[in-house]
Amino acid sequence: MARSEREKMAAGEWYTCLDAELDELRKRARRAVHQHNTMPPDERRSAGPYLVQLLQSIAEDAYLEAPFHCAYGLNVTLGRGVYLNAGCVILDTAPVSIGDQTMLGPNVQIYCAQHHKDRKLRTEGIEIAKPVTIGREVWIGGGAIIMPGVTIGDGAIVAAGAVVTRDVAADTTVLGNPARPR
């Protein structure tokens, strides 16, 4: 029996994002994100109710400033005391786990999708999803970009504007493009 594109995506295999089921999941996420981003802050609280329902897991005291964007939401796990500043983007084609007490500055971007290098396959929407794991008590500065498949260890600091292409060890500070230890 042929596997669905969603099943291939979840298994970390090459899949096409140009798929009706995946498109419906992205539409669901856009509706939840829209509600979150347009609700008055006093009504929204830490996250809009549709977004809370959409995410894989969100601690009661995690806080997402508006605007926020995610691709699917169903792959996002936010630990206790997590704070995402305005403009954060999580393209969660694979699991994205953000540990307790971690803070993301404004406009941090987390990418899980890696598009195919072959031009023809890329135009057909072929990509592979790689998880991103961010440990506990991490600080990620504004405008940083976290690339697919990266793990950031507990207590690490990612400087503003850094492009993280490789794993970051615990209690390490990285900066630059590509990000390197300081």
Side-chain angles (χ1 to χ4, degrees):
M1 179 179 208
R3 291 164 42 117
S4 72
E5 298 306 308
R6 182 179 181 181
E7 291 169 328
K8 292 181 207 174
M9 181 178 79
E13 300 171 2
W14 291 101
Y15 67 95
T16 179
C17 62
L18 306 177
D19 174 74
E21 179 184 15
L22 293 178
D23 190 45
E24 284 304 313
L25 290 171
R26 288 188 299 268
K27 286 179 186 175
R28 181 177 153 211
R30 284 193 295 272
R31 286 190 292 271
V33 164
H34 176 75
Q35 181 206 46
H36 172 82
N37 291 338
T38 59
M39 285 185 82
D42 292 343
E43 292 176 31
R44 179 178 65 235
R45 304 204 189 276
S46 62
Y50 291 167
L51 193 56
V52 169
Q53 292 173 6
L54 179 73
L55 300 180
Q56 172 77 31
S57 174
I58 179 173
E60 193 173 304
D61 63 346
Y63 197 91
L64 289 77
E65 295 284 2
F68 168 77
H69 179 78
C70 62
Y72 294 96
L74 52 92
N75 291 314
V76 176
T77 299
L78 304 176
R80 289 181 300 104
V82 166
Y83 178 76
L84 276 60
N85 210 325
C88 285
V89 172
I90 302 176
L91 301 184
D92 62 310
T93 55
V96 173
S97 176
I98 301 177
D100 297 344
Q101 305 302 318
T102 289
M103 299 182 297
L104 277 62
N107 300 310
V108 169
Q109 300 173 49
I110 300 172
Y111 306 147
C112 292
Q114 181 174 316
H115 301 283
H116 207 286
K117 290 181 172 61
D118 179 282
R119 177 194 321 193
K120 183 176 181 336
L121 294 175
R122 191 171 53 248
T123 61
E124 293 171 7
I126 302 298
E127 60 188 33
I128 194 166
K130 297 184 177 186
V132 170
T133 303
I134 301 172
R136 299 169 46 103
E137 301 169 0
V138 173
W139 174 23
I140 300 178
I145 298 173
I146 314 302
M147 298 299 287
V150 166
T151 295
I152 299 174
D154 294 345
I157 297 172
V158 175
V163 178
V164 183
T165 61
R166 295 184 182 140
D167 290 353
V168 177
D171 299 310
T172 301
T173 298
V174 296
L175 63 147
N177 178 6
R180 298 186 195 288
R182 177 173 66 152

